[in-house]
Each structure stands twice: as structure tokens, then as C-alpha cells.
Amino acid sequence: MKKRIFITGGASGFGFALAEFYAQQGWRVAIGDIQEQAGQQAQQALAQLTSDARFLPCDVTKEADLQRVADTLSEAWGGVDVVVNNAGVAQVGAIETVSLEDWEWIININLLGVVRGCKVFTPIFKQQKQGHFVNIASMAGLLDVPNMSAYNSTKSAVVSLSETLQHELAPSNIGVTVVCPSFFRTNLGSSMRSTVPNMDKTLDKLMSKSDLTATDIAKQVAAAVSQRQFYVLPHATGRRIWRLKRWLPRGLYAKLMQRQFTKVKGSK
């Protein structure tokens, strides 16, 4: 039987790159997204690669939407093998300038969207006695970059959630992978909220420096799923800084981050 995957935020960006990769491998691929036109176009492109490609309108802030997807795939496919909680947004700004409305907005999507996906699909995985969650976090969830407290907090929470579920779901033969990329070319900036002037230009510059594409990272994720690997940290520089954070005294690491933050501000 063909393997089955469902990806939130799959109509564009990294979600679509992942869907495209799995479609090329002959998997049944379903993407969920709030952008219906983009979702339909993505479905048409995926249909050229696999015999079963579906677009299911889905808003991750609504548990009922995810439940409807789960019910649809259970009926059509008899279940699903991999669920990728990918949908996410960005928020940039100093702590005193970011509104609580923006905090609630990003938490509802980046964190609770992942929570809802795991909550809805876990019973299906348990019933079929196997399954795998892929939760898309960020190096921002591991590294405390200034002026990104809201984004960092949601992504670190996704890491913690994933670590917890790795232990909790292992007895049910359910795997978990958490993906923590650094900046790479994607469409994250299209929905970004920022109180920092010209942040869109800064983000574009940071993304353009990546030596990895969305497709490169999709391949790493697929390999991690097949090997039941937990952490995926695609960027070498991000991995090095993460190790420094874990090994260095906090004071030395803080100085390093402040120096890097000053360089980024100066390059705008």
C-alpha cells in the first residue's frame, strides 16, 4: 500500500517543497492550507507527480478543520502515515513594542496549531498502531535571538512539545521529528508582522545567504522520518551556535549573541 502524508501550510513555501518531494516518491499526498487558490494550484502541480494528490482547506487555528481533514483521510485512505505540522507565521519586534494581540495571533498559529494537529491525529496513529509527526520549529526555538521574543517563544514551545511527545507516544509506535532550520528562502515574510523598520529587507537578505533550499531541507526531513530521527538541524552554522549555547557559560554565550545581533543591525 502506498504511504500517506498530510502537510499543513502545504500550498507554498517549505510545505509545498516537502509535498513535492514525497509526491515524487509516489506517496499519497494531502496538503492543508487557508489559501484556497494557492492550494488548488499546488494540488494540480502535485497531481502531475503522484496518482493521489489532495488539497483540503484547513485553518490550523480551528480544531474542527483539522478533525474534518482527519476524518476525510481516514475514510479515503484508511488513515495516514506521516503528519507534518508546518503552518506558521513570523513576528519581529522589541518586547515593549509588540502588542498582546500579536502575541495571541502567533501563539494560536505557531504553537496551538501544532498542538491541534498532534491532538487530532494521535488517535488515528494509535488505532493503526503506527505513525509519525513532523513538527516544524526553527533555530529560533533553540537560540534566543533578540527582537524576536514572540516568535522564539512559540518555536521553543514546539521543540518542548515535540520532546515530550517523543517520550509519551513511543509506547504506541508513534515517532516524532522536530525540524529547526535557520533562515532559508521561503515565503515566511509574506505574513510577517513587525515593529522593526525595514525588517522585510533584512529578512530577505538573511534568507538569500542560505546555502540550502527548501528542497534540500525537505530531503533531510524525509531521511529523518525514515530513520526515526528526532532533531533535524539542517544548517551547519545553526548547529555550531546551538552547541556553543549548550556548552558555554551563559555570560560568554550572551556576549556572542549580542555581538552577532549588532552585526545584523549594522548590515541593514
Side-chain angles (χ1 to χ4, degrees):
M1 185 177 72
K2 287 187 176 181
K3 292 285 190 176
R4 307 150 297 182
I5 188 170
F6 169 63
I7 305 166
T8 67
S12 60
F14 179 66
F16 179 74
L18 198 58
E20 189 175 43
F21 178 83
Y22 274 99
Q24 289 170 342
Q25 309 308 308
W27 282 47
R28 294 177 172 181
V29 178
I31 56 172
D33 209 287
I34 59 173
Q35 304 294 336
E36 294 207 23
Q37 183 176 355
Q40 291 167 358
Q41 292 173 346
Q43 187 274 332
Q44 292 172 4
L46 294 171
Q48 304 299 312
L49 303 173
T50 183
S51 59
D52 197 339
R54 298 166 184 258
F55 165 59
L56 302 171
C58 178
D59 182 345
V60 298
T61 68
K62 299 176 180 177
E63 185 178 351
D65 277 20
L66 286 159
Q67 188 62 61
R68 183 164 55 249
V69 169
D71 293 343
T72 298
L73 296 182
S74 292
E75 182 177 350
W77 290 351
V80 61
D81 299 292
V82 178
V83 170
V84 184
N85 292 301
N86 166 72
V89 292
Q91 206 296 325
V92 181
I95 186 65
E96 74 273 18
T97 66
V98 177
S99 68
L100 287 180
E101 179 184 0
D102 275 4
W103 272 89
E104 291 167 354
W105 168 73
I106 196 170
I107 289 170
N108 199 20
I109 297 169
N110 285 11
L111 172 56
L112 294 181
V114 177
V115 170
R116 293 182 187 101
C118 293
K119 179 178 184 293
V120 165
F121 281 94
T122 290
I124 294 175
F125 284 173
K126 287 186 174 181
Q127 183 178 17
Q128 62 193 23
K129 295 182 170 53
Q130 64 89 26
H132 200 106
F133 285 116
V134 178
N135 296 332
I136 308 302
S138 168
M139 284 307 297
L142 301 175
L143 307 177
D144 34 300
V145 180
N147 275 359
M148 295 183 66
S149 55
Y151 186 72
N152 294 353
S153 297
T154 60
K155 292 303 186 179
S156 63
V158 169
V159 173
S160 180
L161 170 68
S162 302
E163 290 171 340
T164 302
L165 292 182
Q166 181 189 29
H167 306 315
E168 182 177 325
L169 300 178
S172 299
N173 193 33
I174 299 171
V176 180
T177 293
V178 65
V179 185
C180 298
S182 301
F183 293 105
F184 67 102
R185 180 61 64 185
T186 184
N187 63 337
L188 186 64
S190 64
S191 60
M192 179 180 67
R193 296 183 182 182
S194 175
T195 60
V196 178
N198 300 317
M199 189 60 208
D200 55 339
K201 295 179 181 178
T202 301
L203 180 63
D204 186 71
K205 185 181 295 185
L206 291 169
M207 286 181 171
S208 67
K209 292 180 178 180
S210 175
D211 57 352
L212 296 177
T213 66
T215 300
D216 294 330
I217 297 172
K219 291 177 181 178
Q220 291 192 33
V221 171
V225 171
S226 67
Q227 298 165 16
R228 308 280 280 195
Q229 177 184 339
F230 181 72
Y231 288 113
V232 177
L233 280 61
H235 291 86
T237 300
R239 291 196 298 271
R240 286 196 294 270
I241 297 175
W242 183 51
R243 292 189 183 108
L244 286 174
K245 179 183 177 180
R246 296 165 69 196
W247 296 340
L248 288 177
R250 178 66 188 182
L252 288 178
Y253 172 74
K255 288 180 180 179
L256 173 66
M257 288 302 295
Q258 289 157 15
R259 191 179 304 125
Q260 290 298 113
F261 180 55
T262 301
K263 285 182 181 180
V264 171
K265 288 177 66 178
S267 68
K268 291 180 182 178

